[in-house]
Amino acid sequence: MTGTATPVRNTRPAGAARHGWIAALLLCSTPAWASPFAYITNQGSHDVSVIDLASQQVVATVAVGRSPAGVVASGRAGRAFVSNPDSKTISVIDMRQQKVVNTLPAGDGPVGLDISDDGRHLYVADWFGARLLMFDARATAATPPLAAIPVGRAPAGVVAHTDGATVFVAERDDDSVAVVDTAARRVRARVRVGSHPFALLYDAPRQRLYALNVQSDDVCVIDMRDLRRPTVIARVKVGKAPYGAALAQGGALLYVTNQHDDSVSVVDADSLRVLRTLPGFGYPEGIAAHGDRVYVVNWMDDNVQVLDAASGRKLATIATGKNSRGFGAFIGAPAEP
């Protein structure tokens, strides 16, 4: 799928994003199973490539449902969750064993997903059902959602607020973002953004939400200090069909993938000025940052490119499965027992 098409097809795709960087771990002093991993969803081969960030190599390939799209890796839960739109399910991967340990039924077409900071609740956008589904992230059986909250048309990107009670949802076909109260199980507020918002990224220190608009080719910056009155404070023009975003360099730089330009925009997160545009990608989709590196997922090239976060220089290329997407916060490490 793309941000401008239905989410269940095996041609060109789309994505979401969450908190753009994960705190670095001291690899040399932690057990091997606690190393950070990147979980890359491969739409064409129906599996997930697991990359050990310490060795920069694929260490496992995990079969999941059909056409996997979204992903979120939660250290607190010790699991990575993968949305399978064609199977209408969520695959749950144990991050220590690197295997599927549960499969959750997930409406009519799950796409974007995120998890609460405490690792207890999983939130999933049901594209065709126009709902936000809430699951017990610790479930060990194929249990139904705890709640199904109505939202706008074609919900795509999902981001959980750090307060544990609020979730943001990109309502693609309504050109809006919903602020969902998960306790009351209703939409608390909405804000109009650009054309066809798809991915979302929350910048907690600045209390900002970034909405990537795949048709208007820009990023809306939304002030979320008052969750009852979200306000667009800026629109940043980037490349064609922005898909994913990540914060790097301690939150100083905002990286944005541009699907239809085969490029990545690098934005100063304070001034919101585009600093440079990096060329040479293959339909880039998912993106995440870890330490001093940025990881860009290329759908056409079936790989992940590793960049130096400060300069954007390409450091390495890691081969993955077919039609790689990585739509979401795909880097994580299991918490110590």
Side-chain angles (χ1 to χ4, degrees):
M1 69 179 166
T2 69
T4 56
T6 56
V8 283
R9 67 187 184 97
N10 291 326
T11 55
R12 290 194 169 191
R18 184 199 170 185
H19 312 294
W21 58 280
I22 310 293
L25 298 178
L26 299 176
L27 302 180
C28 62
S29 62
T30 55
W33 53 259
S35 297
F37 298 97
Y39 294 84
I40 310 301
T41 52
N42 302 310
Q43 183 185 30
S45 49
H46 314 296
D47 54 26
V48 172
S49 298
V50 183
I51 300 171
D52 185 333
L53 299 194
S55 65
Q56 302 283 284
Q57 294 181 346
V58 173
V59 293
T61 300
V62 183
V64 290
R66 292 194 59 79
S67 308
V71 57
V72 61
S74 169
R76 286 188 179 274
R79 296 174 168 187
F81 301 85
V82 173
S83 65
N84 307 301
D86 283 357
S87 298
K88 304 179 182 180
T89 60
I90 303 296
S91 295
V92 183
I93 299 173
D94 184 286
M95 296 170 72
R96 295 184 177 88
Q97 304 176 67
Q98 309 300 4
K99 70 176 186 179
V100 173
V101 294
N102 197 11
T103 302
L104 302 170
D108 300 319
V111 185
L113 67 171
D114 201 5
I115 193 164
S116 58
D117 278 2
D118 61 8
R120 297 183 60 186
H121 292 120
L122 176 71
Y123 304 102
V124 179
D126 182 1
W127 176 284
F128 293 116
R131 301 175 295 176
L132 176 69
L133 306 178
M134 183 170 69
F135 292 88
D136 179 353
R138 300 166 297 179
T140 57
T143 53
L146 299 173
I149 304 167
V151 292
R153 294 180 299 162
V158 175
V159 174
H161 191 284
T162 52
D163 66 4
T166 305
V167 174
F168 307 117
V169 180
E171 300 169 319
R172 195 202 70 161
D173 286 2
D174 290 336
D175 296 340
S176 60
V177 172
V179 180
V180 178
D181 183 327
T182 58
R185 299 184 179 180
R186 65 178 180 85
V187 174
R188 176 189 298 174
R190 279 190 172 91
V191 58
R192 296 281 295 181
V193 290
S195 181
H196 280 30
F198 206 84
L200 300 175
L201 174 69
Y202 185 57
D203 184 344
R206 297 181 180 90
Q207 297 184 67
R208 290 177 179 172
L209 184 72
Y210 305 102
L212 279 64
N213 305 305
V214 295
Q215 281 195 347
S216 51
D217 303 329
D218 55 18
V219 177
C220 280
V221 183
I222 308 168
D223 185 342
M224 286 294 183
R225 286 175 295 179
D226 185 347
L227 294 172
R228 297 165 300 178
R229 297 178 180 84
T231 304
V232 174
I233 57 174
R235 290 179 72 160
V236 182
K237 199 71 176 176
V238 288
K240 292 181 181 178
Y243 178 96
L247 286 163
Q249 287 293 96
L253 299 177
L254 175 67
Y255 276 73
V256 178
T257 56
N258 305 307
Q259 290 175 316
H260 297 173
D261 275 343
D262 295 336
S263 69
V264 172
S265 298
V266 184
V267 180
D268 183 294
D270 286 325
S271 68
L272 299 176
R273 180 173 60 92
V274 177
L275 300 175
R276 53 189 170 271
T277 300
L278 309 175
F281 299 90
Y283 207 79
E285 296 211 339
I287 185 168
H290 176 84
D292 61 358
R293 296 181 179 183
V294 174
Y295 297 82
V296 179
V297 184
N298 292 288
W299 190 86
M300 289 291 288
D301 291 347
D302 302 336
N303 65 32
V304 171
Q305 287 182 311
V306 185
L307 313 180
D308 174 74
S311 66
R313 181 171 59 90
K314 293 176 184 177
L315 301 174
T317 299
I318 305 169
T320 50
K322 186 174 177 57
N323 302 139
S324 301
R325 304 192 61 185
F327 176 38
F330 57 75
I331 294 178
E336 295 187 27

